[in-house]
Amino acid sequence: MSINSTIMRYLFLLVVTFFLTSLTAQVDLGYQLPHQDILELADAPLPPRLRINAEATKGVLLYRKSFKSIQELSEEELRLAGLRINPITNISSRQRYYYDATLLDIKTGKESKIEGLPESARLSNFTMSPDQQKIAFTHTTTRGVELWVVNIFSGDLSKLTEDNLNANMGSPFTWMKDSETIVIKVMPKERPTLVNVKTAVPTGPTISVNEGKKAQNRTYQDLLKNKNDEANFEALATCELYKVNLKGESQPFMPASIYSRMSFSPDGEYFMATTVSKPFSYLVPYRRFPSSTKMYKSNGDLVTTILDVPLIEDLPKGFMSTRMGPRNHRWRADKPATLVWAEALDGGDANKAFEYRDAVYQQEAPFDGPKDFLIKLKNRFSNIEWGTDDVAIANDYWWNTRNTKSYIFSPSDEKQTPEIIDDRNYQDRYSDPGSFVEKRNEYGQYVLDLNGDKLYRLGNGFSDEGVKPFVDAYNLKTKKTERLYHADGISTYEDLSFAINMKQGLILSRIESKSDYPNYYLRNIHTGNLKQITQFENPFKAIQNVHKEVINYKRADGLDLSATLYLPEGYDMNEKEKLPMLMWAYPREYKDKSTAGQVTSSPNEFTFPYYGSPLYWVMRGYVVLADTAFPIVGEGDEQPNDSFRSQLVANAKAAIDAVDDLGYVDRERVAVGGHSYGAFMVANLLSHSDLFAAGIARSGAYNRTLTPFGFQSEERNYWESPEVYYTMSPFMHADKMKTPLLLIHGQADNNSGTYPMQSERYFNALKGLGATVRLVMLPKESHGYSARESVLHMLWEQDTWLEKYVKNKPMVSDIKP
């Protein structure tokens, strides 16, 4: 098809869409509840989250509800500079809270109540003190945010502040080194009155200007739009810093400003703070506004300005492009007060060829001397794992090639040549050597756990033989690896969560199976001793006996694929009744076929439905195919999206063929579902194949010309590759839609690119062209849905759609000639 005909077709669709917008039929329907089998699973309680101290002697169990309420989501909200703020309570309007917390003795497994927690608690921001004796956290009242502290050994609980903290830009506090004092962000006493943008009278137009610079930014949401938004952002983001002790006594520390980051040096003697300033931008979120990073003594005296960064609107094109100058300042973990940062050696332009992309430097306190060179990296700097002056490990990555490298080097010898010990495709999960184990040092920082010449690694253990997490010892001199432990992976799935003491061989592990709920254990890899420390009960007993297996199959081009197959409880695998099937998937891009075909799912993982899970329908008599592999591969100079549609269809056909070959599915009654990029997948599959009886697409984007400067893994802009944007956009092919499609979208979607308009315009085009389609807009919901009313109604919509267009669609054998 020529570009001219493509443009004419696009214009026609736009005209049809605009004319039909006012003709959309509306259905007057309140929130509905799904079938009882689905409702009981959806309302099951969540397991608590475990936070433990470094010595793994004490822990805190944090309890959270599965959902918010629509009333909570309806509280006042301002969307400013990439933030969503409740201007009454001064914390993120989308904050997820814990309603309860208990203390856990790790050795005995005894759980005890924390006496004195507020009623109807809304708890968040749990942070361990440097001495690992206490945890500070916030409680959100109807008026604001308070700071509380609990001693995890004694259980003593204290409220340290009134509800006047400013949590609009993340956690509103940080511990000082003494574990007796906390720096807090406090709302200024003289905060300006917020502008009511709905009633404010404009004083003039909003004007944006560009003088020839390229500013190819993603389609960010929640940006500032005018001077009123600027005023409200400044008022809500500004705070004063105070010091408060464990008795609740406070004193001023820093004057009012917009503090985006703050941290103390490992020895506690220096305080680094980054503040945001004008000019603000209407193109990018606050993280790219002008900023200044200054260094202070712990008493608040200014030492020096570390860095001033201007407004960042015009980076070179490409995911790996970055700004020039120092960036990513952080503390060196093995030194009392040494700053480390990276600087681009390629001008920050990922499109230019350079042998080395980044250099890393350091500077010791008092930060007035020359910078010291540490290491050059072939890719972009990721992080450094510190050990001693003689041993550190630097890591980099390069998205375009999916490459990551790890370098062992000596921080004290700038003339030495770093040795690359890992050079691999980070999507190659089978070759993942694991993460180096770290331990706390004298500064309370985490550094490499070095035992003579040995380092330790914990890994997931993905392989073609299954998932077998492991512990390895890596010898720095011989560069050889010794396997110390690996799980058998036969009947259970084990997550080696945390290395407590590698000399003793003690590891905190979480173990589960298909039917056994996850619980925590203390494992000794030397003695083989295993001790259970939590006793969480299974709230999903209704599905504990469903059949679950990971199936492996091939795409037509020979690519290995896999999916997790679920069959209803009691299904006779000998009789093999042909059931309807729901397939759920999400496309992922790869640069080579070998990594695209790897299996990273374990059949032994606990069957755990979440709000958006397809597993509910195994209770409704469906075969469920979850985690269905949908790789999109572009090897060499070919980009994955160059053949996106054909690979989608090939993936889908291979999955259906595989289940059909097993004899379980009526292939005339197969539905496909997906969320976000998965929704985009669904719309494309229904438009360009006849494999499905119906589809469910949640919170997707369907017209890629509305995201012209890239999307997902696509770096090319629309004008560089209009055929890719056109070919991949379901909106451009709405006339091909012949399959019933359920569209669901949150009206307050905050994800880059998935504006609610994407579903609205797509629905109007499909309706105008006579497709069977239903659009459900969930009030107040973001990209993921959180209100109980919304989630249960979503499940009702999906179940009703599947019952009508899939389960009760006549079987081929029932149709008389």
Side-chain angles (χ1 to χ4, degrees), residues 482-498:
E482 176 189 0
R483 180 63 43 92
L484 302 179
Y485 169 80
H486 75 266
D488 60 33
I490 295 175
S491 60
T492 62
Y493 173 77
E494 184 169 7
D495 177 11
L496 302 172
S497 304
F498 179 71

Side-chain angles (χ1 to χ4, degrees), residues 37-39 41-42 514 540 542-544 546-549 563-569 582-584 605-628 698 794-795 798-799 802:
D37 290 343
I38 295 176
L39 181 61
L41 284 179
K514 294 178 184 179
F540 302 106
I543 56 174
Q544 69 178 358
V546 302
H547 175 80
K548 176 183 180 180
E549 65 175 304
T564 305
L565 175 73
Y566 298 86
L567 298 174
E569 182 178 355
L582 174 60
M583 176 196 302
W584 208 267
E605 290 179 272
F606 180 76
T607 304
F608 199 125
Y610 61 96
Y611 89 90
S613 172
L615 295 183
Y616 300 103
W617 280 272
V618 77
M619 296 291 295
R620 300 284 284 140
Y622 291 77
V623 175
V624 172
L625 202 62
D627 301 319
T628 313
R698 298 195 314 240
M794 176 202 76
L795 295 173
Q798 293 181 173
D799 189 52
L802 293 171

Side-chain angles (χ1 to χ4, degrees), residues 108-255:
T108 65
K110 181 181 178 181
E111 185 177 356
S112 58
K113 183 178 177 61
I114 299 175
E115 300 292 344
L117 285 173
E119 295 183 5
S120 303
R122 296 199 291 177
L123 313 175
S124 57
N125 296 307
F126 284 80
T127 306
M128 193 78 68
S129 61
D131 65 4
Q132 303 289 289
Q133 302 287 309
K134 301 168 280 289
I135 284 186
F137 58 93
T138 60
H139 167 56
T140 303
T141 71
T142 57
R143 299 176 304 173
V145 178
E146 306 168 332
L147 180 65
W148 293 65
V149 171
V150 61
N151 187 303
I152 61 176
F153 285 82
S154 67
D156 292 340
L157 179 70
S158 302
K159 186 179 83 165
L160 302 187
T161 73
E162 299 302 318
D163 47 7
N164 62 345
L165 300 191
N166 186 334
N168 290 328
M169 295 179 75
S171 177
F173 68 88
T174 186
W175 283 96
M176 295 189 71
K177 181 69 174 178
D178 62 5
S179 295
E180 299 290 326
T181 315
I182 302 174
V183 172
I184 57 175
K185 297 179 180 179
V186 176
M187 297 301 303
K189 293 183 177 61
E190 304 299 327
R191 188 181 81 174
T193 302
L194 298 179
V195 179
N196 186 332
V197 295
K198 295 180 180 179
T199 60
V201 178
T203 59
T206 299
I207 299 172
S208 299
V209 176
N210 186 57
E211 297 180 349
K213 289 186 176 181
K214 292 183 178 180
Q216 300 188 12
N217 295 300
R218 289 280 174 129
T219 48
Y220 297 113
Q221 301 204 45
D222 300 339
L223 299 178
L224 301 179
K225 299 179 181 64
N226 50 49
K227 291 294 182 182
N228 292 331
D229 280 353
E230 289 192 52
N232 285 342
F233 168 72
E234 187 170 17
L236 288 166
T238 299
C239 62
E240 299 169 344
L241 300 188
Y242 278 71
K243 290 181 180 180
V244 61
N245 63 26
L246 297 184
K247 297 178 181 179
E249 301 166 340
S250 64
Q251 63 184 64
F253 181 47
M254 294 282 177

Side-chain angles (χ1 to χ4, degrees), residues 685-697:
L685 284 171
L686 299 193
S687 298
H688 303 294
S689 77
D690 58 0
L691 297 169
F692 299 100
I696 299 169

